[in-house]
Amino acid sequence: MAVIQALRTALFYLLFLGQTVILAIIVGTAAMIRRGRTDFGWRVAQYWAAANLTLLRRIVGISTEVSGIENLPPGPCIIAGKHMSDWDIFALLPHTSGKPAFMAKKELMDIPFFGQAAASFDTIMVDRKAGAEGIPRMMADARKALAKGCRIIIFPEGTRKAPLADPDYRQGIVRMYRELNVPVVPVALDSGLYWGRNSLVAWPGTARAKFLPAIQPGLTDAAFRALLIETVERETRALVLDAIDRGIARPVTGDLAERARAARQAAAG
């Protein structure tokens, strides 16, 4: 089964990367001609996300389930999600009220056409090499996005993590919460069980994301950080362990088995 699934995954990557490049060139070129967000660009983005979810379902066997949408407040907010897979982007995009503003590394924004396309969606650039000097620009871009009615999507750990890996939340989300004064909606998910970072094999199953009750402005930095981490990690752990208990195609061995065992012991304790 692993060999067949690897071949299916390779076909998915070929189609996924191919259409991403083509659409980036189209939207990037359009953005060079007409700067800013356009209905055309948003329709292409919707198609891109839906098409990739369809490819995952039909070729790889990964279905999508999103719950807790009622927890999204009307108007601008920050969506702070766990990050395990590119699936997370496809699954969250439809729930941004047509005005997403993703956080993205400067290296991605420097890619020809892709960078122009991303900029047309009010993407907020994160320049890690600039250190503290890059924060004012990041915050200024975030304020502009919120003023336009955007929902900012941020992955607070800054990179994709393996299921049940130790959390590593960065301070950027804390500063955004303190200074932007909008609700933060935590998101738990288990997509890494099916499509992991740099994985050559994507496994069939139902990837799930769950929007959790919004954290309202007004907490101290420490209280907000603790609540965000506790909420996201608890609900993510529940999703992952529930999926394993129900049975998944991916072999639960090695590091995953050890992390699952440790998570169960911690929960019991």
Side-chain angles (χ1 to χ4, degrees):
M1 179 180 178
V3 174
I4 295 175
Q5 201 62 30
L7 292 174
R8 290 174 175 170
T9 303
L11 175 59
F12 164 75
Y13 277 133
L14 179 64
L15 297 174
F16 161 53
L17 294 174
Q19 80 159 353
T20 297
V21 170
I22 293 171
L23 294 178
I25 292 173
I26 293 173
V27 177
T29 301
M32 294 177 199
I33 298 172
R34 182 181 175 185
R35 296 185 178 278
R37 190 184 298 266
T38 63
D39 290 339
F40 168 75
W42 173 237
R43 287 196 295 271
V44 172
Q46 288 178 299
Y47 164 80
W48 176 75
N52 288 325
L53 290 177
T54 298
L55 290 175
L56 280 170
R57 185 179 72 253
R58 293 185 176 178
I59 297 175
V60 182
I62 298 177
S63 299
T64 294
E65 179 182 300
V66 179
S67 62
I69 300 172
E70 68 278 3
N71 289 317
L72 284 165
C77 64
I78 299 171
I79 297 173
K82 194 72 179 176
H83 194 21
M84 297 183 185
S85 166
D86 285 343
W87 174 91
D88 312 339
I89 298 172
F90 313 149
L92 298 183
L93 183 67
H95 306 290
T96 56
S97 295
K99 292 185 177 181
F102 282 89
M103 309 284 292
K105 295 182 293 185
K106 182 179 183 297
E107 292 79 0
L108 293 176
M109 300 297 289
D110 289 338
I111 298 175
F113 296 105
F114 180 89
Q116 287 83 359
S120 70
F121 287 99
D122 300 297
T123 298
I124 301 165
M125 185 177 70
V126 180
D127 188 353
R128 294 176 180 172
K129 293 182 180 179
E133 295 179 0
I135 293 178
R137 176 179 175 178
M138 180 187 77
M139 296 303 299
D141 289 345
R143 290 190 182 91
K144 290 178 182 177
L146 290 175
K148 296 178 181 179
C150 293
R151 288 177 172 173
I152 296 175
I153 300 92
I154 179 173
F155 300 115
E157 293 175 281
T159 188
R160 289 167 291 177
K161 303 281 285 187
L164 302 176
D166 291 337
D168 182 23
Y169 288 64
R170 306 190 178 187
Q171 283 298 115
I173 182 61
V174 177
R175 181 160 183 172
M176 293 179 71
Y177 170 81
R178 180 177 71 242
E179 296 188 17
L180 299 180
N181 198 39
V182 294
V184 173
V185 182
V187 181
L189 45 80
D190 66 357
S191 57
L193 289 173
Y194 312 101
W195 183 16
R197 178 179 181 180
N198 300 326
S199 176
L200 296 179
V201 180
W203 297 94
T206 300
R208 296 177 293 175
K210 184 178 182 181
F211 290 96
L212 305 169
I215 301 174
Q216 299 299 326
L219 298 179
T220 65
D221 288 3
F224 165 73
R225 177 181 171 82
L227 180 58
L228 177 68
I229 295 175
E230 194 277 331
T231 300
V232 173
E233 293 302 313
R234 181 189 69 240
E235 295 296 331
T236 293
R237 183 170 57 249
L239 287 174
V240 171
L241 293 180
D242 174 67
I244 292 175
D245 288 343
R246 289 186 291 108
I248 57 176
R250 171 184 175 175
V252 183
T253 58
D255 291 342
L256 177 59
E258 180 59 34
R259 290 193 297 268
R261 182 163 52 250
R264 295 184 195 283
Q265 291 175 346

